[in-house]
Amino acid sequence: MATIEHPVCLRPGDSSDLDAVMKVMTEAFGDRYGEAWTRSQCAGILPMLGVSLVVAREGENIVGFSLSRSVADESELLLLAVLPSRHREGIGGLLLDNFVERSRSAGVTRVHLEVRDGNPAIEMYRTAGFRPVGRRRNYYHAPDGRRFDALTFAQDVFS
């Protein structure tokens, strides 16, 4: 994985970051595979107990984000996106490591995520210690009618 060329810092995000988060999501996911969430879905989940938004900032610009949810002793990475122009700089790995470490610090014993089969991020998840544990057939629905499987990955974490 390449190293980050510019200083990127992570900070907790909130609803005031939604415009920038939606810009990153639109650029990162587009509408090819049906992976992106709507603004109302993001706004609706943010106030829920156990939900965390983390933004990756470079100066005043948000270049990536993660959205996760913790319930009992498990955490789920709901979304992770980085601007395509910033791919392969280590920003996604930084966000992923932050998710795992925050989960571990909170006493979580297992973290998991779902990703579209064929998504290049799968290699990052495998490198970070996530292992495949399931498949949801035809989970993602593209606007053109195509369907794509979701792969479920998990990792046991211990404090």
Side-chain angles (χ1 to χ4, degrees), residues 36-158:
W37 287 25
T38 65
R39 181 185 180 85
S40 63
Q41 287 172 312
C42 291
I45 199 168
L46 276 178
M48 292 182 177
L49 187 64
V51 172
S52 296
L53 173 66
V54 173
V55 295
R57 295 183 68 97
E58 183 177 61
E60 294 301 310
N61 299 316
I62 292 178
V63 296
F65 72 92
S66 69
L67 182 67
S68 60
R69 170 179 49 200
S70 295
V71 177
D73 65 344
E74 291 193 352
S75 288
E76 179 181 11
L77 182 61
L78 301 168
L79 293 166
L80 188 148
V82 174
L83 289 173
S85 63
R86 304 304 301 274
H87 282 183
R88 308 217 45 90
E89 292 182 22
I91 299 168
L94 190 66
L95 287 160
L96 183 60
D97 290 347
N98 174 267
F99 161 68
V100 172
E101 186 52 43
R102 282 184 303 106
S103 298
R104 182 180 289 121
S105 296
V108 165
T109 60
R110 186 172 176 90
V111 292
H112 55 97
L113 60 90
E114 284 187 343
V115 60
R116 177 186 45 81
D117 191 9
N119 186 322
I122 289 170
E123 183 59 32
M124 176 181 67
Y125 298 135
R126 286 181 185 274
T127 299
F130 284 82
R131 297 291 170 247
V133 295
R135 176 183 294 267
R136 290 185 180 188
R137 300 232 178 255
N138 300 316
Y139 183 78
Y140 296 107
H141 302 269
D144 65 4
R146 291 180 300 152
R147 294 183 177 209
F148 303 91
D149 291 355
L151 304 177
T152 304
F153 283 78
Q155 180 183 136
D156 292 329
V157 294
F158 303 100

Side-chain angles (χ1 to χ4, degrees), residues 12-39:
D14 59 35
S15 60
S16 69
D17 296 310
L18 273 181
D19 287 341
V21 163
M22 293 309 297
K23 179 183 182 301
V24 171
M25 187 156 16
T26 298
E27 288 191 36
F29 292 138
D31 63 358
R32 293 179 307 249
Y33 303 109
E35 299 165 300
W37 287 25
T38 65
R39 181 185 180 85

